[in-house]
Amino acid sequence: MKFVGHLDMMRYFQKAIRRAGIDIAYSAGYSPHQIMSFASPLGVGLTSDGEYLDIEVNSSKTSEESIAALNREMAEGVEVVSYRKLPEDAKNAMSVVAAADYRISFSEEVAIPSLEQLTERFMMQKEILITKKTKKSEGVVDLKPMIYGLRAKNDTLFMRLATGSAANCKPIHVLEAMAEMKGQEETREAAAALEKLVVRTPYAICIHRLQIYGNTGSGDAPVFTALEDLGEEIV
Amino acid sequence: MNRLALSDEILLKIDKPARYIGNEINSVKKDLKDVNIRFCMCFPDVYEIGMSHLGIQILYHMFNQIEDVYCERVYSPWPDLDQIMRERHIPLFALETQDPVKEFDFLGITIQYEMCYTNILQVLDLSQIPLLAKDRTWDDPVVIGGGPCTYNPEPLADFFDIFYIGEGETVYGALLDVYRDAKAKGLSREEFLLKAANIPGLYVPAFYDVRYHEDGTIASFGPNRPGVPSVVHKEIMMDLDKACYPLKPVVPFVKATQDRVTLEILRGCIRGCRFCQAGMIYRPLRERSVESLKTYAVEMLKNTGYEEINLSSLSSSDHRELKELVTFLMDQWNGQGVNISLPSLRIDAFSLDVMSKVQDVRKSSLTFAPEAGSQRMRDVINKGLTEEVILNGAWEAFLGGWTKVKLYFMLGLPGETEEDIREIARLSEKVAKKYYELPKEQRNGKCQVTASSSFFVPKPFTPFQWVSMNTKSEFLGKARIVNEEMKAQLNRKSLRYNWHEADLTILEGVFARGDRKLCRGLLRAYELGCMFDSWSEYLDNDKWMQAFSECGIDIDFYTSRERDPKEILPWDFIDAGVTKEFLLREYERSKQAVVTPNCRSACAGCGARCYQGGVCFEN
């Protein structure tokens, strides 16, 4: 599903939900649409183990039955692993998203020397300024407060990044910023290798989303709770 | 996950990579160990267009029901991928297994419009299959063409091994049997084709020779060896309820042009519009029963999850049980977000009532196809739509809250005068005027009447197959006159007028009534880089002109030349049901502006009665 875009994925689920006979609610009006919200769009080229969408239903079978019904309608490469009931007053998935975990690996033929060291140095910086271009403007953004965690292990990077409407940081932005660390002796080689990847062969970078979280704490003291844990099994 | 033919690097570089990965819902997976015949079905245009085509879904479904046959799909790679595949010599692959098309037993190409001809060459070329049929061996798939354009297959004769003339549901089984037999006996490709040529409806162009007069017209046409029929009869499925129907159509990831269930409610047409090829070659009209249609609709919506169902036909209102079907659909899915679309529907009280229930009246527009501006011209083309009917329909629509009306016309119809085309603007004005007859408090702002005109291309197997087609400058001159007349109308601010591109129409005109001599020109145009000609951003008319001139092809010979009724036409060897006598009779009546009643009112003796069914035997 790596090559299916977000909008196509939404359409895919709208149809799958109809095929599976989920009693989804429709909006009123001339062109009624399913009441459905995706937590966070996944770009083309990314893979994931932790995607969420929430829907409003008129009635529901049990979690187990619904998962089975949905999985009978899935294409190879997509699996529904959980189906849970959210509290009546829950906000939609899109608006509760606060963070996401990613695993970044590199194609077999690519090796980045001393990736751990680069990661450590990178996180020791007080601020990580990047220029972010949008359609309308260009601005300098500090990535540091949006990186909740970053570590390297066996040529693989794991990161937890701010996600959602309030603050949003993409893994590629972190990689681009890491590739800027060419100034210091210890990190020069690794940063250069990373830069080559980002610029020349971005397809060799495998970005995999692991989990999406909501914040059940406060703004200053966030507590990241996997979206799944915000709901309960229907039995 | 299945293996993909293209690397991540390529897929991430090109537009809409999901076009090329297969694995769609309802696509068929088979174990190749159980498969004897691999059939690749192709629509030679971009994926989103090809996936919207019902015919391929029918045949895909039909082939895959046969146990030892595996049918897969392929579409034209978009120019971004096309370029990469050429540079890196990546062979074109089928979507399901991602295997090269060249490894298949058959490559079936549906030919829906003339301007996809260069894309056919693109598909063959990228598949690394020799472009010319004569250069192919058993190492290549058997290349077979079907669809409406095969009613004049001659401009493509050099590139196809076989053409299937008529409806696909009938004789593919026989062809596969002949193929299995040929393979078992170790027959040569030519021996196999000879057997295929004897299956009704199949035309093997290599077994026919054409000789020409000095002026370029055909002197003789016929088989070049014994045992090959001199006439090829079209194939037709008389009992549509017995035809297979794709109840589990493939649902693409990428949004297709037709993002909905297509339910073909009838085939053929009773109207007999003299310009319309579909209305002639699909004769006689045959309906699917309302019981079948109800079952199909329920099943297909359930199996696909689509939110819209499109009732498809040449003229939906002519299905005698349409009301029952539409009422059923509306009752069944009321409030569950299933939209019903009814193109080619006559505008009357019933259809307006239906449409007001399924669409947002304020946003949608109503479409009329008067085809010609003046009543005289509508009589010439046998379009049985009067000004009164149009204006009443518009009035009803305005009363119902609609404010947008679309009107479709053609320019360049035979015998057309300047007065006739000025009537296009005047009719548009009358429609707009109707709106302003509404009391002010019932109006919803201004109305918008959009008139569009396309340029008329004479097609084989129509009463106009002999007529002269307008030249580019004639076409554009006419469009200018209409535009000027539009601007002279009182309600001009409520009128819009747009017209089609003329270059494309001329090319379409060349190929529609072309002969074998065009094969060279087509090949040359492709070599020069022509592709995706139906996409205005890719049509390169200069290259086409260069190709034609290099190959000594005179455009006017094919377009503006009026044919003598005695001339041998390139498609005369095909029996499409409608007789030449009937077409000539209709041509004569058109010159007198005499209308011919529709099939249900009175039989016009077109010849389609020979199929022993359909509308000819309704009572």
Side-chain angles (χ1 to χ4, degrees):
Chain A
M1 290 305 110
K2 191 172 173 179
F3 302 103
V4 177
H6 172 62
L7 288 176
D8 290 336
M9 209 41 160
M10 276 175 58
R11 263 195 299 274
Y12 165 85
F13 267 99
Q14 283 162 3
K15 293 184 178 100
I17 280 171
R18 294 179 72 96
R19 290 195 301 272
I22 304 288
D23 187 13
I24 192 165
Y26 284 84
S27 65
Y30 264 105
S31 48
H33 56 269
Q34 298 178 350
I35 302 179
M36 175 192 280
S37 158
F38 269 67
S40 174
L42 189 72
V44 172
L46 275 66
T47 54
S48 177
D49 275 336
E51 292 304 295
Y52 293 88
L53 62 116
D54 66 24
I55 57 175
E56 193 177 313
V57 293
N58 301 312
S59 67
S60 180
K61 295 185 175 158
T62 65
S63 292
E64 200 185 327
E65 289 164 340
S66 304
I67 291 172
L70 283 163
N71 279 333
R72 274 194 292 275
E73 302 303 332
M74 289 297 116
E76 200 182 323
V78 197
E79 192 191 348
V80 175
V81 291
S82 173
Y83 178 97
R84 296 184 152 224
K85 184 184 175 183
L86 291 166
E88 278 300 329
D89 60 349
K91 286 192 225 153
N92 73 24
M94 178 80 98
S95 59
V96 300
V97 173
D101 283 351
Y102 296 92
R103 182 186 70 214
I104 320 286
S105 53
F106 306 95
S107 296
E108 279 161 38
E109 52 280 17
V110 186
I112 299 176
S114 49
L115 184 64
E116 273 120 15
Q117 216 165 4
L118 173 68
T119 309
E120 241 166 68
R121 295 280 169 149
F122 179 72
M123 286 305 279
M124 277 158 65
Q125 300 173 95
K126 277 204 194 67
E127 49 178 23
I128 302 168
L129 298 180
I130 63 151
T131 322
K132 217 174 175 179
K133 277 183 209 158
T134 64
K135 274 174 200 154
K136 284 179 195 152
S137 61
E138 207 180 275
V140 177
V141 182
D142 183 10
L143 288 185
K144 187 75 194 280
M146 295 196 275
I147 304 174
Y148 299 128
L150 174 67
R151 65 193 168 87
K153 201 182 160 192
N154 305 334
D155 300 327
T156 303
L157 283 170
F158 292 90
M159 33 181 106
R160 178 171 295 179
L161 304 176
T163 306
S165 45
N168 195 50
C169 179
K170 288 181 178 173
I172 192 72
H173 293 145
V174 177
L175 295 175
E176 280 164 3
M178 287 172 77
E180 295 288 309
M181 305 273 293
K182 283 171 296 187
Q184 298 167 42
E185 186 67 38
E186 299 95 323
T187 57
R188 182 171 299 145
E189 211 186 337
L194 198 55
E195 183 182 35
K196 209 171 122 192
L197 272 173
V198 171
V199 176
R200 288 209 215 138
T201 56
Y203 53 86
I205 307 172
C206 312
I207 305 177
H208 183 78
R209 183 141 70 186
L210 295 164
Q211 185 58 278
I212 300 178
Y213 302 92
N215 180 3
T216 50
S218 66
D220 300 331
V223 176
F224 295 120
T225 308
L227 291 188
E228 183 176 4
D229 297 329
L230 299 177
E232 58 184 46
E233 255 333 85
I234 307 169
V235 286
Chain B
M1 280 299 288
N2 57 335
R3 177 189 60 87
L4 295 178
L6 300 171
S7 67
D8 284 17
E9 181 223 338
I10 295 173
L11 286 165
L12 291 176
K13 205 184 278 183
I14 54 177
D15 193 31
K16 299 193 187 169
R19 285 167 174 164
Y20 311 105
I21 61 173
N23 191 30
E24 305 100 319
I25 293 296
N26 295 337
S27 59
V28 176
K29 295 187 175 84
K30 285 194 179 189
D31 190 337
L32 290 178
K33 285 203 300 289
D34 310 326
V35 170
N36 289 319
I37 299 179
R38 300 186 69 180
F39 200 112
C40 190
M41 194 56 82
C42 169
F43 191 109
D45 206 322
V46 73
Y47 178 86
E48 295 91 304
I49 304 264
M51 278 303 289
S52 304
H53 184 243
L54 175 66
I56 287 211
Q57 298 264 16
I58 291 178
L59 295 177
Y60 180 76
H61 179 74
M62 181 183 86
F63 281 123
N64 280 322
Q65 278 183 331
I66 310 172
E67 213 176 321
D68 72 332
V69 177
Y70 188 10
C71 181
E72 304 186 36
R73 294 158 297 134
V74 69
Y75 304 93
S76 297
W78 192 244
D80 58 353
L81 178 60
D82 175 273
Q83 193 193 339
I84 294 172
M85 292 177 82
R86 279 170 207 273
E87 282 165 9
R88 307 192 190 180
H89 307 288
I90 300 169
L92 185 61
F93 52 92
L95 293 179
E96 280 77 358
T97 56
Q98 303 269 309
D99 285 340
V101 173
K102 191 176 161 68
E103 292 171 10
F104 283 64
D105 298 282
F106 286 91
L107 170 60
I109 303 178
T110 183
I111 318 168
Q112 296 290 319
Y113 31 88
E114 289 82 3
M115 296 328 289
C116 75
Y117 288 1
T118 50
N119 279 50
I120 294 173
L121 300 188
Q122 176 214 21
V123 166
L124 292 171
D125 200 6
L126 290 179
S127 299
Q128 302 171 3
I129 295 169
L131 297 183
L132 297 174
K134 68 177 173 57
D135 298 333
R136 292 182 200 136
T137 69
W138 269 140
D139 289 338
D140 304 298
V142 174
V143 180
I144 178 163
C149 289
T150 60
Y151 282 88
N152 177 22
E154 290 302 276
L156 293 167
D158 291 353
F159 312 108
F160 280 85
D161 298 309
I162 306 175
F163 288 102
Y164 185 127
I165 318 279
E167 297 171 3
E169 287 108 334
T170 56
V171 298
Y172 268 117
L175 177 64
L176 297 178
D177 285 342
V178 164
Y179 183 79
R180 283 190 197 92
D181 187 56
K183 284 287 180 173
K185 289 184 181 146
L187 299 186
S188 70
R189 209 169 187 267
E190 186 173 311
E191 286 166 320
F192 157 72
L193 288 173
L194 197 55
K195 288 187 181 237
N198 278 284
I199 298 172
L202 299 194
Y203 166 55
V204 178
F207 296 155
Y208 296 77
D209 282 345
V210 196
R211 285 187 306 107
Y212 299 95
H213 292 297
E214 223 160 85
D215 65 4
T217 58
I218 296 173
S220 72
F221 181 102
N224 56 23
R225 65 197 67 199
V228 176
S230 50
V231 175
V232 180
H233 303 278
K234 82 162 176 189
E235 275 301 300
I236 182 165
M237 189 70 203
M238 285 310 292
D239 187 349
L240 290 184
D241 284 333
K242 293 208 176 89
C244 78
Y245 203 75
L247 298 183
K248 293 183 87 175
V250 179
V251 183
F253 291 113
V254 180
K255 189 177 180 181
T257 315
Q258 295 280 336
D259 186 32
R260 52 189 71 89
V261 163
T262 302
L263 189 61
E264 186 197 36
I265 61 172
L266 56 82
R267 213 174 270 181
C269 186
I270 60 171
R271 301 279 147 189
C273 299
R274 291 176 182 131
F275 56 85
C276 178
Q277 188 189 39
M280 297 291 162
I281 60 178
Y282 295 118
R283 283 184 173 219
L285 172 127
R286 291 143 288 151
E287 295 176 348
R288 284 185 208 273
S289 72
V290 73
E291 285 72 34
S292 303
L293 291 170
K294 285 178 187 173
T295 318
Y296 293 174
V298 172
E299 281 289 308
M300 292 174 82
L301 286 166
K302 199 175 86 195
N303 291 337
T304 58
Y306 276 121
E307 302 193 323
E308 185 170 341
I309 182 163
N310 172 38
L311 305 186
S312 136
S313 73
L314 292 170
S315 173
S316 308
S317 310
D318 290 332
H319 195 293
R320 289 168 300 168
E321 291 164 306
L322 181 74
K323 267 187 202 183
E324 186 182 337
L325 177 65
V326 172
T327 312
F328 168 81
L329 292 175
M330 288 200 300
D331 291 348
Q332 192 82 8
W333 282 282
N334 187 29
Q336 286 184 59
V338 172
N339 191 13
I340 305 166
S341 75
L342 290 146
S344 55
L345 191 66
R346 230 189 348 260
I347 303 295
D348 56 20
F350 166 70
S351 58
L352 287 170
D353 181 50
V354 170
M355 282 185 273
S356 67
K357 283 178 185 147
V358 299
Q359 11 175 279
D360 188 343
V361 170
R362 282 161 306 166
K363 285 184 195 145
S364 60
S365 60
L366 279 188
T367 305
F368 293 87
E371 311 290 3
S374 68
Q375 192 57 49
R376 187 192 79 83
M377 221 39 229
R378 283 195 294 274
D379 292 344
V380 168
I381 62 177
N382 206 40
K383 181 83 193 183
L385 189 62
T386 61
E387 182 173 303
E388 194 191 342
V389 169
I390 297 164
L391 293 180
N392 281 341
W395 176 245
E396 292 283 336
F398 293 144
L399 280 175
W402 272 275
T403 57
K404 288 180 198 156
V405 172
K406 282 185 196 161
L407 300 170
Y408 288 151
F409 297 96
M410 277 186 287
L411 286 177
L413 289 163
E416 186 176 72
T417 64
E418 190 177 316
E419 196 54 25
D420 289 320
I421 62 171
R422 285 192 187 275
E423 286 292 323
I424 290 176
R426 293 173 196 149
L427 181 61
S428 309
E429 165 71 13
K430 282 176 197 161
V431 171
K433 217 172 121 202
K434 270 278 163 211
Y435 180 77
Y436 296 105
E437 282 172 22
L438 275 180
K440 225 175 184 160
E441 59 279 8
Q442 279 185 45
R443 288 181 223 157
N444 190 359
K446 270 200 205 145
C447 74
Q448 197 186 91
V449 179
T450 307
S452 305
S453 68
S454 59
F455 297 125
F456 170 62
V457 177
K459 297 270 165 126
F461 293 105
T462 66
F464 292 153
Q465 63 179 356
W466 295 277
V467 306
S468 158
M469 179 175 153
N470 281 179
T471 61
K472 181 179 170 178
S473 62
E474 283 169 331
F475 277 137
L476 295 177
K478 286 180 177 182
R480 249 194 314 277
I481 292 172
V482 177
N483 200 31
E484 171 199 297
E485 187 69 29
M486 284 279 179
K487 294 210 168 102
Q489 302 302 313
L490 198 64
N491 290 301
R492 58 189 167 272
K493 285 189 175 153
S494 298
L495 306 181
R496 306 250 177 304
Y497 174 60
N498 45 54
W499 61 92
H500 282 204
E501 233 271 284
D503 286 338
L504 191 75
T505 307
I506 299 296
L507 288 176
E508 196 188 322
V510 169
F511 284 105
R513 293 186 294 169
D515 55 25
R516 276 192 196 192
K517 288 175 290 185
L518 288 176
C519 291
R520 275 184 61 219
L522 175 59
L523 182 58
R524 185 69 194 126
Y526 172 72
E527 287 166 354
L528 290 171
C530 292
M531 226 173 28
F532 285 97
D533 299 301
S534 60
W535 297 76
S536 54
E537 68 267 43
Y538 288 105
L539 176 67
D540 190 335
N541 198 53
D542 293 345
K543 281 185 184 149
W544 274 105
M545 295 306 114
Q546 184 191 338
F548 284 162
S549 100
E550 283 179 24
C551 299
I553 290 166
D554 171 17
I555 291 175
D556 294 342
F557 173 82
Y558 295 101
T559 54
S560 50
R561 182 176 64 91
E562 184 178 337
R563 278 72 163 168
D564 187 288
K566 287 196 279 294
E567 181 178 327
I568 299 174
L569 302 171
W571 53 91
D572 275 353
F573 71 96
I574 294 173
D575 165 22
V578 289
T579 61
K580 204 168 195 175
E581 293 70 35
F582 165 72
L583 296 176
L584 268 173
R585 214 156 59 224
E586 280 295 289
Y587 184 25
E588 287 309 316
R589 286 169 78 95
S590 82
K591 290 180 190 164
Q592 319 299 322
V594 179
V595 296
T596 298
N598 74 56
C599 299
R600 283 206 175 108
S601 304
C603 175
C606 71
R609 207 179 155 86
C610 70
Y611 300 113
Q612 298 294 319
V615 67
C616 314
F617 291 85
E618 258 173 15
N619 296 313

